[in-house]
Amino acid sequence: MVDRIHLGRDDRETIQDIIRFGLKHHEQWVGARLALACSLQMSDLPDPQIFQKQSQQRGGVELHAAQLTGEGKGPEEDITDILRALLSIHEGRDYFEDEEGFHDALQRHVRRGLRELRNTWPKDSDFHGYLLQELFFEDGSFGAEDNDSRTEGLGQRISVVLGQLGIGAELVETVEGPRLTRFQFVLEMLDDLDRLRRGIGKIGFALGFGQESVTLALARGERQVFLFVPRPPKQWRMVTWKDVRHKLAEPTSEVMTLPVCLGTDVLGEPFLIDLAEAPHLFVGGTTGSGKSMCLHGILLSLLEARSGQIQLVLIDPKAVEFQAYVGCKLLREGGVIVSADSALVALEGLVEEMNNRQEILGEYDARNISEANARGAKLPRIITVVDELGDLFLTRREIEAPLIRLAQKARSVGIHLVLATQRPEAATFPGLLRSNIPSRIALAVQKSSESRIILDEVGAESLLMRGDMLVRFAGRQTTRAHGCRVDAADILSAVGTT
């Protein structure tokens, strides 16, 4: 291995801060290793556009890759094979035979890890304590014995703030979800509800959570309300795919045509929707919001619950997110589509398939695919998942036409769309698509205008990142949920069983 890892000025300064204020008197490669560990803690893959391979930067730093891996230093210090294995599992690729790919993956993960350290480590805090709680006890198990006392103290603080706002309320129940704590109050008078609505931003401000962090919902019961209060990320309870996949085998999902588990609700119960009832989905969220994990959760749900009854069309213009599904036997096009030209051909082919299926429905005197299959048609449902719709539109705007036709007419013949973008704007989710895709999932976005594009309402700009989402399913009220962590091993396992 002779390649070097080139880092920018910000990365160099972060490594210097780690050495100066954290580890004290260690080499630069030690900071790079910590950054690599930090990145591997994150369930999604580093965006290749944001962390693309770069040459030496002015004011940056150059590390020899062998410094990072310990290659050539003897069996006790050489961790090259360990890193190859970790990255291969994390990204679903074989880096034992791909030297260039291994080096590129190292650089992407080191750069992302340094950015994460830069954004989450308070410089005035103890670095070793930060590593202990953020890296090694991210699931919240560390200090779990203090949860009850911490929650009780927060409930008392909220009661004091409510009193300062002139709201008479009695705390009657506290329930901790994976990321939020739900406090149930009984209000003394009906007028207290109006005062609470007007002062909800002040509660978050008084608690130090930000003006829009605390949310209000009405509870069943006379004069009862819920207050949902976010906990710090280090107190979140990590929910993995293994924690929720069992729900797909229970009676609740068996009555669904295309059950999809998006993660959990705010109290930690698995959150399911029926994609066939959607019948299409639009997913929007900024970088780091958990959009990719959401798409993987949808795909794994379909593979685990209905693998014998579906076909998949996967369109991935960045050629990164869906590469682990390349070997899936359910792929209609024989592989993952990565070019805009191929995507256009595939979508036009689906329009033709839609027209053919409408004729088949007529032959079976059926109104929809369910009736036709009940009479012997044996038509699989086709789910088309498009990641980064905005990139496709920028390259080939003609793609919009077949998507609109499919959104308008494909439901009855069993063709469903899942469209995703990290740039939710009018150009990437135009009016005709919006009117024909009523089911939406909004992850964290930067501006309220982006939330309106996705949901037709604000709220997504206040989400907590890392899978926190608002789900507006057709015909239902907007619901908050949390995505689960999907590892590369989960994908490989699901693909291997198809």
Side-chain angles (χ1 to χ4, degrees):
M1 180 188 296
V2 297
D3 282 321
R4 285 163 170 75
I5 294 176
H6 296 112
L7 307 175
R9 181 190 298 271
D10 289 343
D11 294 331
R12 177 181 60 81
E13 291 177 352
T14 300
I15 290 178
Q16 289 178 343
D17 286 342
I18 291 173
I19 294 172
R20 186 183 304 118
F21 304 114
L23 299 176
K24 310 285 179 64
H25 309 301
H26 283 274
E27 300 290 342
Q28 290 182 328
W29 59 265
V30 177
R33 277 191 182 180
L34 286 174
L36 177 60
C38 181
S39 181
L40 288 172
Q41 285 280 98
M42 303 167 70
S43 53
D44 58 336
L45 303 181
D47 190 315
Q49 301 299 317
I50 298 176
F51 304 106
Q52 58 185 295
K53 187 175 181 179
Q54 60 185 8
S55 58
Q56 188 169 3
Q57 304 290 301
R58 183 175 182 179
V61 63
E62 178 185 79
L63 296 177
H64 198 292
Q67 292 178 292
L68 186 63
T69 66
E71 186 177 36
K73 294 185 178 181
E76 294 185 359
E77 296 185 52
D78 189 343
I79 61 171
T80 306
D81 287 344
I82 294 175
L83 293 180
R84 287 186 194 274
L86 287 172
L87 289 169
S88 296
I89 293 172
H90 193 275
E91 302 205 355
R93 299 185 182 184
D94 184 1
Y95 286 126
F96 284 89
E97 301 296 332
D98 185 358
E99 189 72 17
E100 183 177 356
F102 173 52
H103 173 263
D104 290 347
L106 279 176
Q107 180 158 278
R108 287 197 308 271
H109 280 277
V110 169
R111 291 181 61 201
R112 181 175 70 166
L114 287 170
R115 188 184 70 168
E116 183 72 9
L117 288 166
R118 188 160 54 245
N119 293 337
T120 60
W121 169 40
K123 299 302 182 297
D124 57 350
S125 68
D126 176 62
F127 186 68
H128 297 87
Y130 164 81
L131 290 180
L132 182 66
Q133 297 198 34
E134 293 295 331
L135 290 184
F136 300 107
F137 291 98
E138 187 180 20
D139 63 356
S141 58
F142 182 71
E145 66 276 5
D146 296 327
N147 283 353
D148 291 341
S149 59
R150 183 179 62 241
T151 302
E152 181 180 353
L154 182 56
Q156 293 173 351
R157 289 171 59 196
I158 294 173
S159 297
V160 170
V161 173
L162 292 177
Q164 293 172 345
L165 295 173
I167 300 169
E170 178 186 358
L171 179 62
V172 295
E173 185 184 44
T174 302
V175 180
E176 280 202 356
R179 304 185 187 185
L180 306 176
T181 303
R182 188 184 74 179
F183 297 92
Q184 184 173 352
F185 287 90
V186 177
L187 302 179
E188 290 183 0
M189 297 183 295
L190 293 178
D191 290 345
D192 286 325
L193 179 59
D194 291 332
R195 283 190 284 270
L196 181 55
R197 283 174 170 157
R198 292 194 301 268
I200 192 69
K202 296 180 180 178
I203 298 174
F205 178 75
L207 296 173
F209 296 143
Q211 293 190 3
E212 297 180 316
S213 296
V214 179
T215 55
L216 167 70
L218 300 182
R220 291 189 177 183
E222 188 175 348
R223 303 192 311 279
Q224 295 191 24
V225 296
F226 293 132
L227 289 179
F228 293 94
V229 179
R231 298 194 302 276
K234 65 181 180 181
Q235 296 174 13
W236 290 357
R237 186 172 74 248
M238 177 65 69
V239 178
T240 68
W241 174 248
K242 296 179 180 65
D243 296 328
V244 298
R245 59 179 294 192
H246 66 88
K247 197 67 176 181
L248 296 168
E250 295 183 359
T252 305
S253 66
E254 290 181 356
V255 300
M256 296 181 177
T257 303
L258 294 174
V260 166
C261 185
L262 297 175
T264 73
D265 62 19
V266 293
L267 297 183
E269 292 297 318
F271 186 80
L272 269 67
I273 62 171
D274 189 348
L275 182 58
E277 296 297 321
H280 311 295
L281 270 177
F282 180 75
V283 183
T286 190
T287 301
S289 65
K291 175 179 63 67
S292 297
M293 288 297 100
C294 180
L295 295 181
H296 289 310
I298 292 172
L299 288 171
L300 291 194
S301 296
L302 296 171
L303 292 177
E304 297 228 3
R306 298 293 184 267
S307 61
Q309 307 164 29
I310 64 171
Q311 294 178 351
L312 296 175
V313 177
L314 302 185
I315 300 176
D316 179 13
K318 290 186 177 180
V320 171
E321 207 55 62
F322 296 149
Q323 291 309 297
Y325 299 90
V326 167
C328 181
K329 297 177 182 178
L330 301 179
L331 292 180
R332 181 178 172 85
E333 299 296 322
V336 176
I337 299 168
V338 297
S339 73
D341 291 338
S342 298
L344 179 59
V345 172
L347 292 172
E348 289 176 339
L350 286 175
V351 172
E352 184 177 350
E353 173 72 13
M354 176 183 70
N355 294 333
N356 293 338
R357 287 189 172 202
Q358 287 173 341
E359 294 180 4
I360 294 174
L361 262 57
E363 294 173 3
Y364 283 89
D365 192 25
R367 294 172 299 176
N368 54 54
I369 186 175
S370 297
E371 290 184 3
N373 283 341
R375 295 167 188 173
K378 297 182 180 180
L379 295 172
R381 291 183 180 266
I382 302 173
I383 297 91
T384 301
V385 184
V386 180
D387 191 26
E388 278 320 314
L389 183 65
D391 286 0
L392 289 178
F393 279 175
L394 286 174
T395 307
R396 291 295 297 269
R397 193 68 203 188
E398 303 95 318
I399 285 175
E400 181 180 347
L403 283 176
I404 290 174
R405 292 190 64 186
L406 291 169
Q408 289 173 329
K409 301 174 61 178
R411 173 180 185 172
S412 63
V413 299
I415 300 176
H416 308 277
L417 302 175
V418 179
L419 310 179
T421 184
Q422 66 179 10
R423 296 193 304 270
E425 52 193 31
T428 56
F429 195 29
L432 283 176
L433 271 182
R434 293 176 68 185
S435 60
N436 287 283
I437 303 182
S439 296
R440 326 269 180 81
I441 299 175
L443 294 109
V445 296
Q446 296 180 352
K447 299 176 291 187
S448 59
S449 59
E450 295 175 330
S451 180
R452 289 191 181 95
I453 290 290
I454 304 171
L455 298 172
D456 297 325
E457 60 185 74
V458 300
E461 72 280 4
S462 300
L463 293 174
L464 302 176
M465 301 289 284
R466 300 187 187 179
D468 198 19
M469 67 181 77
L470 293 173
V471 182
R472 201 191 81 178
F473 201 67
R476 303 181 192 173
Q477 290 185 339
T478 301
T479 304
R480 191 170 185 175
H482 307 310
C484 60
R485 175 170 177 162
V486 177
D487 293 325
D490 296 323
I491 300 174
L492 293 175
S493 176
V495 170
T497 59
T498 59

